[in-house]
């Protein structure tokens, strides 16, 4: 039982005061968890592009000051009223989307879009009382995605916390709380390539490489990586990618190139860039009769997906996915187990490591397109 | 297996109530066959003087009411206990005298006067139990010489039934079951004149007939030819060449009009290909097969299909696809694959095929991969509609959308394909089937197909997908788009529930249409699928769809709203162009 239960905790947090400006390590007050909330001690966190996107806040309603961060691993410090599934000391991954286990989505075998706790990028407060649990000298600092893991302590709704194997090294499995699971699940849960099949992956960042990793695990015979940046190919081989196509190298459309390479099209494709033209290519490059294209990357608000309907009548399937179709509490612990039994390799996604005080370096690496995941150590 | 086996059949019979008075067409009950009996469906019968003689009943003990007739051709409907030589679907001639195969006469090479079953003009009941199988309101009607073929159905002793070549035209060979064989055999079997001998014939009534097989020969028959785009079809005499390698020649018994025929007959905005024989929804019988064909034989009951299954390519081998590399639908081709020529000609000039079927013809030639062999007891005038539109809609729901019991389904377009999709949802146990159509007149009929609610986009200011999402607390579980209108496709996609909704596109769009949606609709875990011919593999899967009808899981009669003889085939086009009805059956035999 923690000595801090029920009390405000003073700790360090990396606060974004203004859009696009470096984060500042500040002393913040973290209120105790209220009903159905838990307070976590964050041990490791990593930077995901979605943090960068909302920190830059281009073309959105800016919400500042704010504590970003949503990929992390930590330990439960204390629980609020009504929480029975977690207790202090549990090892957990906080997740930016939740699972109340009561709504029609949570009860459906297929969906992970919980009515109560699904991702909300606009909200900066807790659902329970519409207030923030973070303050600096009494002034509130906004939450992000209900996680805000760039802080030594954070408060999260219990529905957004996955309890995992306490033996799992948190500095590795923290990356499973967003990007890697998103890509992995897109392949394993949605595209579901069969052993020996062919797969195309558009976008070879962390999500795309996780999708490729999923195809490798599933036994795909060819994994074609599509990216505009030729430097990505060498690293992509570690994730099972067997062929590389750079759309810039060809005059014809990339879907035509892929169709030619594969005698009619790939069995499965995964689109992991968010670029709407890549989405269309990903759809049109799968084989008629049985091909399935899975769209992962988040597009811009005003983008339009356009294709000729004959592509659908030729028995292609187009599916979208969100967070790999994993239910956060029900499914993520099993993903951690895949790592523990060595079916899934996570180390190769981690290319950098910095102490909390140097968190802004993680942003620099990402903005330069350098590396895949940078782990931020909260403890010095 | 026939749906009527073991049950009383109610049908029409021509009953002679009194000697010499005109027969009256009555509704009779025909009991099922007992031991060593078979029940036959009579297709054609002819009058022989012996019927007249006993109908006039001068100087004999009259036995009335009675069903006469003893020269006929038909098909076995069901068999009684102990019958092994015949099965439902066999083509037969009932004969007024029998052959038990056991008695001294039957075993003799010379005699045909079977002790058990030789002609008996006095008996009006069945041997088994001395009762009649015919009744009207429970009152018995007497049999005649064990045949009684002036009835749509009759019951006969198995020893009095000759099983014949199913390719033989019954409307011709029925005359062989009495008079013609009597005269022919008298000469060939008994008198046996030698070549060059002299013969005197006393009485020039019915003349012997020679039966010819049509296999290997050109067949001359009627076909409805489209000479020009959009002009009424003309019934012409055409020559149909015999089937070549991997082809079969079919006798078409029933065909129906599908909008795709109309579309290519109008030929707006396409390369016209005329003269052409249209038609691709039909049921028929195999007349002959070409070299290399092992899966079909003459007499098989079949549905020709506009798309095929070679069983060898990657698509055919895939569990999922039905888009055979060799035989998938080709609307441009008007000739056969094996030699790029047509099998149809008029005075030597070729007439083009249509989607490899060309069923608006009494005979047609089709690639064996495009023919589904079905249960011979299935009524071809009903199941012919399964060779295109109905299966397309049904399969879109059952094979692709796959709604679970209790789910909600939206169907866009309530024509034949959409109603078949609704029927699939009804069969799957959907709790709500929402029908969307611009024509409010369609709703009433749609209820017969399981549609529970109706939305007319014209009645609302907001887009129909929003209306549906509101009606269903977030969206339907499954939607099926059956119009081909690209805006309806987009609505069908956007009206399914996030998290688990699946939208299936069936209708064929215009060449230049563009499907447009915001990608977030996909990221919210909606699935969009296309389908072709219900994802049914024609040869592997259609027979089981016929079985769904035979075991009454699937109802077809409600799709059939009109019927015309072949000579009036243009009426079928008029009905469709007026938006009248769903399916019109065209009867090839008058």
């Amino acid at each position: 039982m923690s000595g801090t239960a029920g009390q405000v905790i003073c700790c360090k947090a990396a606060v974004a005061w203004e859009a696009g400006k470096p984060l500042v390590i500040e002393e913040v007050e973290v209120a105790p968890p209220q009903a159905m909330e838990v307070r976590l001690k964050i041990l490791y966190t990593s930077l995901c592009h979605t943090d960068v996107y909302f920190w830059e806040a281009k073309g959105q309603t800016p919400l500042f000051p704010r504590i970003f961060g949503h990929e992390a691993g930590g330990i439960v410090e204390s629980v609020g009223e009504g929480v029975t599934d977690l207790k202090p000391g549990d090892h957990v991954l906080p997740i930016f989307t939740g699972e109340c286990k009561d709504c029609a989505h949570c009860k459906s075998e297929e969906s992970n879009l919980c009515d109560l706790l699904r991702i909300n990028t606009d909200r900066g407060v807790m659902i329970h009382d519409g207030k923030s649990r973070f303050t600096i000298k009494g002034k509130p600092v906004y939450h992000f995605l209900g996680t805000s893991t760039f802080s030594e302590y954070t408060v999260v709704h219990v529905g957004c916390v996955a309890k995992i194997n306490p033996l799992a090294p948190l500095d590795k499995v923290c990356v499973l709380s967003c990007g890697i699971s998103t890509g992995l699940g897109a392949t394993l849960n949605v595209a579901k390539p069969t052993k020996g099949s062919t797969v195309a992956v558009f976008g070879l960042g962390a999500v795309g490489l996780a999708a490729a990793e999923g195809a490798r695990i599933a036994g795909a015979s060819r994994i074609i990586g599509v990216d505009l940046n030729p430097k990505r190919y060498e690293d992509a081989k570690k994730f099972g990618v067997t062929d590389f196509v750079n759309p810039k190298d060809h005059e014809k459309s990339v879907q035509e190139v892929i169709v030619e390479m594969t005698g009619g099209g790939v069995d499965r494709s995964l689109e992991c860039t968010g670029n709407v033209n890549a989405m269309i290519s990903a759809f049109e490059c799968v084989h008629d009769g049985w091909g399935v294209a899975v769209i992962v990357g988040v597009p811009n608000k005003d983008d339009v997906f356009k294709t000729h309907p004959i592509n659908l009548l030729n028995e292609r399937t187009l599916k979208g996915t969100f967070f790999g179709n994993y239910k956060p509490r029900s499914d993520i612990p099993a993903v951690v187990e895949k790592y523990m039994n060595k079916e899934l390799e996570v180390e190769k996604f981690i290319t950098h490591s910095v102490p909390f005080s140097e968190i802004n370096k993680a942003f620099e690496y990402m903005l330069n397109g350098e590396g895949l995941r940078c782990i931020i150590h909260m403890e010095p | 297996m026939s749906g009527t086996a073991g049950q009383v059949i109610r049908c029409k019979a021509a009953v002679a109530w009194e000697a010499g008075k005109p027969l009256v067409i009555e509704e009779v009950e025909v009991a099922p066959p007992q031991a060593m009996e078979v029940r036959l469906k009579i297709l054609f019968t002819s009058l022989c003087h012996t019927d007249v003689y006993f109908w006039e009943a001068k100087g004999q003990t009259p036995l009335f009411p009675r069903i006469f007739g003893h020269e006929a051709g038909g098909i076995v409907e069901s068999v009684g206990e102990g019958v092994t030589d015949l099965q439902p679907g066999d083509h037969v001639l009932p004969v007024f005298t029998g052959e038990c195969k056991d008695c001294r006469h039957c075993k003799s090479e010379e005699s045909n006067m079977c002790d058990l079953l030789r002609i008996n003009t006095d008996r009006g009941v069945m041997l088994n139990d001395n009762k009649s199988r015919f009744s009207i309101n429970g009152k018995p009607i007497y049999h005649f010489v064990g045949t009684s073929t002036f009835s749509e159905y009759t019951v006969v002793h198995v020893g009095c039934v000759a099983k014949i070549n199913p390719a033989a035209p019954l409307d011709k060979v029925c005359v062989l079951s009495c008079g013609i064989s009597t005269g022919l055999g008298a000469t060939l079997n008994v008198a046996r004149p030698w070549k060059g001998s002299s013969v005197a014939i006393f009485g020039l009534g019915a003349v012997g007939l020679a039966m010819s097989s049509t296999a290997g020969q050109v067949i001359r028959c009627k076909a409805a030819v489209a000479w020009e785009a959009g002009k009424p079809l003309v019934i012409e005499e055409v020559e149909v060449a015999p089937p070549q390698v991997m082809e079969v020649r079919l006798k078409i018994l029933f065909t129906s009009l599908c909008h795709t025929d109309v579309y290519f007959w109008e030929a707006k905005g396409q390369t016209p290909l005329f003269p052409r024989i249209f038609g691709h929804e039909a049921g028929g019988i195999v007349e002959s097969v070409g070299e290399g064909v092992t899966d079909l034989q003459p007499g098989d009951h079949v549905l020709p299909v506009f798309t095929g299954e070679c069983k060898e390519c990657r698509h055919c081998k895939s569990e999922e696809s039905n888009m055979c590399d060799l035989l998938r639908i080709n609307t441009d081709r008007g000739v056969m694959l094996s030699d790029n020529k047509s099998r149809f000609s008029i005075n030597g000039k070729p007439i083009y095929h249509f989607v490899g079927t060309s069923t608006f013809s009494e005979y047609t030639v089709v690639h064996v991969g495009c023919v589904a062999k079905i249960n011979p007891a299935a009524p071809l005038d009903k199941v012919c509609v399964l060779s295109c539109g109905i299966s397309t809609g049904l399969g879109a729901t059952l094979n692709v959308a796959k709604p679970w019991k209790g789910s909600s389904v939206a169907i866009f377009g309530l024509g034949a394909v959409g109603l078949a999709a609704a029927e699939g949802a009804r069969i799957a146990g959907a709790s709500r089937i929402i029908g969307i159509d611009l024509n409010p007149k369609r709703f009433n009929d749609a209820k017969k197909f399981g549609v529970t609610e109706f939305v007319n986009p014209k009645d609302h200011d907001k887009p129909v997908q929003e209306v549906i999402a509101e009606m269903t607390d977030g969206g339907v579980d499954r939607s099926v788009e059956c119009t081909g209108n690209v805006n309806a496709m987009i609505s069908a996609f956007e009206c399914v529930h996030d998290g688990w909704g699946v939208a299936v596109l069936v209708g064929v769009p215009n060449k230049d249409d563009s499907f447009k949606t915001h990608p977030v609709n996909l990221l919210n875990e909606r699935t969009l699928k296309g389908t072709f011919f219900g994802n049914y593999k024609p040869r592997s899967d259609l027979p089981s769809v016929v079985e769904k009808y035979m075991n009454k899981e699937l109802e077809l009669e409600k799709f059939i709203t009109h019927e015309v003889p072949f000579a009036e085939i243009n009426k079928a086009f008029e009905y469709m162009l007026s938006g009248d009805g769903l399916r019109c059956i065209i009867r090839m035999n008058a």
Side-chain angles (χ1 to χ4, degrees):
Chain A
M1 195 83 75
S2 166
T4 46
Q7 299 173 23
V8 169
I9 290 179
C10 291
C11 67
K12 294 202 187 69
V15 176
W17 289 102
E18 264 188 74
K21 294 277 149 66
L23 309 184
V24 182
I25 304 290
E26 305 280 10
E27 182 107 336
V28 302
E29 296 117 29
V30 185
Q34 299 210 10
M36 299 313 283
E37 296 173 5
V38 295
R39 189 160 57 184
L40 309 179
K41 179 179 166 118
I42 299 298
L43 299 185
Y44 302 96
T45 183
S46 43
L47 183 64
C48 164
H49 204 273
T50 307
D51 294 299
V52 173
Y53 189 70
F54 284 88
W55 164 73
E56 287 179 330
K58 296 174 188 169
Q60 290 149 42
T61 321
L63 195 64
F64 293 95
R66 201 168 198 183
I67 296 172
F68 288 97
H70 64 279
E71 261 184 29
I75 299 182
V76 177
E77 174 270 338
S78 62
V79 306
E81 193 187 316
V83 173
T84 50
D85 290 345
L86 291 173
K87 58 185 193 312
D90 283 344
H91 285 223
V92 297
L93 302 184
I95 305 199
F96 65 93
T97 188
E99 186 183 350
C100 73
K101 300 204 175 188
D102 265 337
C103 68
H105 282 273
C106 286
K107 293 196 150 117
S108 153
E109 271 186 32
E110 299 179 68
S111 174
N112 64 351
L113 292 172
C114 171
D115 276 329
L116 180 70
L117 298 170
R118 73 167 69 171
I119 184 174
N120 184 316
T121 52
D122 296 329
R123 193 190 299 124
V125 294
M126 298 302 281
I127 294 173
H128 179 91
D129 60 357
K131 294 191 170 125
S132 171
R133 299 288 167 263
F134 299 108
T135 48
I136 294 181
K137 301 191 173 87
K139 289 191 62 177
V141 182
Y142 291 108
H143 295 252
F144 179 63
L145 298 182
T147 48
S148 294
T149 62
F150 293 164
S151 173
E152 290 177 326
Y153 287 85
T154 185
V155 177
V156 177
H157 189 288
V158 65
C160 298
V161 180
K163 175 177 170 177
I164 63 166
N165 183 342
L167 297 175
L170 288 170
D171 62 332
K172 303 290 185 287
V173 301
C174 59
V175 299
L176 293 175
S177 58
C178 180
I180 281 44
S181 295
T182 292
L184 188 75
T187 301
L188 295 181
N189 298 336
V190 188
K192 291 188 276 201
T194 52
K195 198 165 145 69
S197 60
T198 57
V199 181
V201 180
F202 286 71
L204 298 176
V207 173
L209 291 174
E213 176 73 359
R216 183 191 71 75
I217 290 172
S221 62
R222 282 179 89 178
I223 302 173
I224 301 171
V226 182
D227 203 295
L228 298 168
N229 179 356
K231 290 190 215 159
R232 302 234 192 209
Y233 186 39
E234 216 34 60
D235 286 333
K237 290 184 192 171
K238 281 183 261 169
F239 297 82
V241 175
T242 56
D243 306 78
F244 183 69
V245 176
N246 188 335
K248 289 194 205 163
D249 295 344
H250 302 269
E251 273 170 27
K252 52 176 81 153
S253 68
V254 70
Q255 53 268 46
E256 285 178 69
V257 173
I258 292 172
V259 165
E260 266 169 46
M261 283 167 75
T262 53
V266 284
D267 302 313
R268 301 289 184 265
S269 74
L270 292 115
E271 198 311 293
C272 305
T273 69
N275 175 300
V276 76
N277 292 318
M279 292 181 190
I280 296 168
S281 301
F283 176 61
E284 294 182 4
C285 81
V286 297
H287 206 292
D288 67 358
W290 60 76
V292 179
V294 178
I295 309 296
V296 186
V298 180
N300 290 326
K301 271 199 169 184
D302 301 314
D303 282 334
V304 174
F305 179 95
K306 248 186 353 175
T307 191
H308 192 284
I310 197 74
N311 290 323
L312 287 153
L313 293 166
N314 278 340
E315 297 172 355
R316 289 180 176 84
T317 297
L318 182 60
K319 298 181 118 162
T321 173
F322 170 70
F323 189 48
N325 280 41
Y326 285 119
K327 288 175 189 286
R329 297 162 79 189
S330 302
D331 297 334
I332 292 299
V335 181
V336 171
E337 290 311 299
K338 269 200 208 299
Y339 166 74
M340 297 300 280
N341 68 23
K342 299 193 192 308
E343 209 182 316
L344 166 66
E345 298 168 3
V346 165
E347 282 80 353
K348 56 195 179 187
F349 288 93
I350 298 166
T351 51
H352 296 79
S353 173
V354 297
F356 190 33
S357 55
E358 295 178 35
I359 189 171
N360 287 307
K361 273 197 179 163
F363 282 74
E364 284 163 39
Y365 294 138
M366 182 162 278
L367 289 164
N368 296 336
E370 234 178 283
L372 293 167
R373 275 300 186 260
C374 177
I375 304 295
I376 297 147
H377 300 249
M378 304 306 283
E379 287 176 341
Chain B
M1 193 77 81
S2 169
T4 44
Q7 299 173 20
V8 168
I9 288 179
R10 271 170 194 66
C11 67
K12 294 202 189 72
V15 177
W17 288 103
E18 269 188 67
K21 293 276 149 65
L23 308 185
V24 183
I25 305 290
E26 304 278 8
E27 176 119 328
V28 302
E29 291 126 24
V30 185
Q34 299 209 10
M36 298 313 282
E37 296 173 3
V38 294
R39 188 160 60 183
L40 308 180
K41 179 178 165 132
I42 300 298
L43 299 184
F44 302 96
T45 185
S46 39
L47 185 63
C48 161
H49 204 274
T50 309
D51 292 302
V52 173
Y53 190 70
F54 283 88
W55 164 71
E56 286 179 324
K58 296 171 184 169
Q60 289 149 43
T61 322
L63 192 66
F64 292 93
R66 202 167 199 183
I67 295 174
F68 288 98
H70 66 281
E71 260 186 30
I75 298 183
V76 177
E77 173 268 341
S78 61
V79 306
E81 195 187 314
V83 172
T84 51
D85 290 345
L86 292 172
Q87 61 185 9
D90 282 345
H91 287 222
V92 298
L93 304 182
V95 190
F96 64 91
T97 189
E99 186 184 347
C100 72
K101 299 203 175 185
D102 265 338
C103 67
R104 288 176 66 197
H105 283 273
C106 287
K107 288 192 153 122
S108 152
E109 272 186 30
E110 298 181 69
S111 173
N112 65 352
M113 298 185 59
C114 170
D115 277 329
L116 180 69
L117 298 169
R118 70 168 73 166
I119 184 172
N120 183 314
T121 53
D122 295 330
R123 193 189 298 127
V125 294
M126 298 301 281
L127 278 168
N128 189 291
D129 61 357
N130 277 322
K131 294 196 172 117
S132 171
R133 300 287 169 263
F134 298 107
S135 54
I136 291 179
N137 296 329
K139 289 192 62 180
I141 312 287
Y142 292 110
H143 294 249
F144 179 62
V145 294
T147 47
S148 293
T149 64
F150 293 162
S151 172
E152 291 178 324
Y153 287 86
T154 185
V155 179
V156 177
H157 190 286
V158 64
C160 297
V161 179
K163 175 176 168 176
I164 65 167
N165 181 344
L170 288 170
D171 61 336
K172 304 291 186 286
V173 301
C174 55
V175 300
L176 290 175
S177 54
C178 180
I180 282 47
S181 297
T182 293
L184 188 75
T187 305
L188 294 180
N189 298 338
V190 190
R192 289 189 283 203
W194 53 89
K195 195 166 145 75
S197 61
S198 57
V199 180
I201 306 290
F202 287 73
L204 297 178
V207 180
L209 167 83
M211 183 179 88
S212 79
S213 164
T214 46
Q217 300 174 18
V218 169
I219 288 179
R220 272 170 195 71
C221 68
K222 296 203 189 71
V225 177
W227 287 102
E228 267 189 71
K231 296 276 150 66
L233 308 186
V234 183
I235 304 291
E236 305 279 11
E237 178 117 326
V238 302
E239 293 125 24
V240 186
Q244 298 208 11
V245 173
M246 299 312 281
E247 296 173 5
V248 296
R249 188 160 61 183
L250 308 179
K251 180 181 166 121
I252 299 297
L253 299 184
F254 301 95
T255 183
S256 42
L257 184 65
C258 163
H259 205 272
T260 306
D261 293 299
V262 173
Y263 189 68
F264 284 88
W265 164 75
E266 288 179 328
K268 297 175 186 165
Q270 289 149 41
T271 322
L273 195 64
F274 292 94
R276 202 167 198 183
I277 296 172
F278 287 98
H280 64 283
E281 259 184 31
I285 297 182
V286 176
E287 174 268 340
S288 62
V289 306
E291 197 185 311
V293 172
T294 51
D295 291 342
L296 291 174
Q297 59 186 7
D300 283 343
H301 287 221
V302 297
L303 303 181
V305 189
F306 65 91
T307 190
E309 187 183 348
C310 73
K311 299 204 173 184
E312 271 166 25
C313 68
R314 283 178 72 195
H315 282 273
C316 286
K317 293 198 149 114
S318 153
E319 271 185 34
E320 299 180 69
S321 174
N322 64 350
M323 299 183 61
C324 172
D325 276 329
L326 180 70
L327 299 169
R328 70 166 74 167
I329 184 175
N330 185 314
T331 52
D332 296 330
R333 194 190 296 126
V335 294
M336 297 302 282
L337 278 169
S338 76
D339 62 356
N340 276 324
K341 295 194 172 124
S342 170
R343 299 287 166 264
F344 299 107
S345 54
I346 293 181
N347 297 329
K349 290 192 61 178
I351 312 287
Y352 291 110
H353 294 249
F354 178 61
V355 293
T357 49
S358 294
T359 62
F360 292 164
S361 173
E362 291 178 323
Y363 286 87
T364 185
V365 179
V366 177
H367 190 286
V368 64
C370 297
V371 179
K373 175 177 169 176
I374 63 166
N375 183 342
L380 288 171
D381 61 334
K382 303 289 185 286
V383 300
C384 57
V385 299
L386 288 175
S387 58
C388 179
I390 291 7
S391 296
T392 293
L394 188 75
T397 301
L398 295 180
N399 298 335
V400 188
K402 292 189 275 201
W404 57 88
K405 193 165 144 72
S407 59
S408 58
V409 181
I411 307 287
F412 286 71
L414 300 176
V417 174
L419 291 174
E423 175 74 357
R426 181 191 71 76
I427 290 173
S431 62
R432 286 175 84 177
I433 302 175
I434 301 171
I436 294 105
D437 203 294
L438 298 169
N439 178 357
K441 290 191 213 158
R442 299 224 192 221
F443 188 38
N444 234 345
D445 286 334
K447 291 182 192 167
K448 283 183 260 170
F449 298 82
V451 176
T452 56
E453 294 142 272
F454 184 70
V455 175
N456 188 337
K458 289 193 206 165
D459 294 343
H460 301 269
D461 283 333
K462 53 176 82 149
V464 69
Q465 52 269 46
E466 283 184 50
V467 175
I468 293 170
E470 266 168 46
M471 284 166 74
T472 54
D473 199 27
V476 284
D477 301 313
R478 297 292 185 264
S479 74
V480 188
E481 199 309 296
C482 304
T483 70
N485 174 300
V486 76
N487 293 317
M489 291 180 190
I490 296 168
S491 300
F493 176 60
E494 293 183 3
C495 82
V496 297
H497 206 293
D498 67 359
W500 60 76
V502 178
V504 178
L505 304 189
V506 186
V508 180
N510 289 324
K511 270 197 165 180
D512 302 314
D513 281 335
S514 199
F515 179 96
K516 277 202 276 200
T517 190
H518 192 283
V520 79
N521 291 321
L522 288 155
L523 293 167
N524 277 340
E525 297 174 356
R526 287 180 178 85
T527 297
L528 183 60
K529 299 182 121 166
T531 173
F532 170 69
F533 189 47
N535 279 42
Y536 285 118
K537 289 176 188 282
R539 296 161 81 185
S540 301
D541 297 336
L542 269 197
S544 63
V545 182
V546 170
E547 288 312 300
K548 272 201 207 295
Y549 166 75
M550 296 301 280
N551 68 26
K552 302 193 191 304
E553 210 183 314
L554 166 65
E555 297 170 3
L556 286 181
E557 284 79 355
K558 56 194 179 188
F559 287 96
I560 297 166
T561 51
H562 295 81
E563 195 184 304
V564 298
F566 190 35
E568 294 176 36
I569 188 172
N570 287 307
K571 273 198 177 156
F573 282 73
E574 285 163 37
Y575 295 137
M576 184 164 275
L577 291 165
S578 321
D580 207 356
L582 292 169
R583 275 299 185 261
C584 176
I585 303 296
I586 296 146
R587 281 175 281 122
M588 303 305 283
N589 289 328

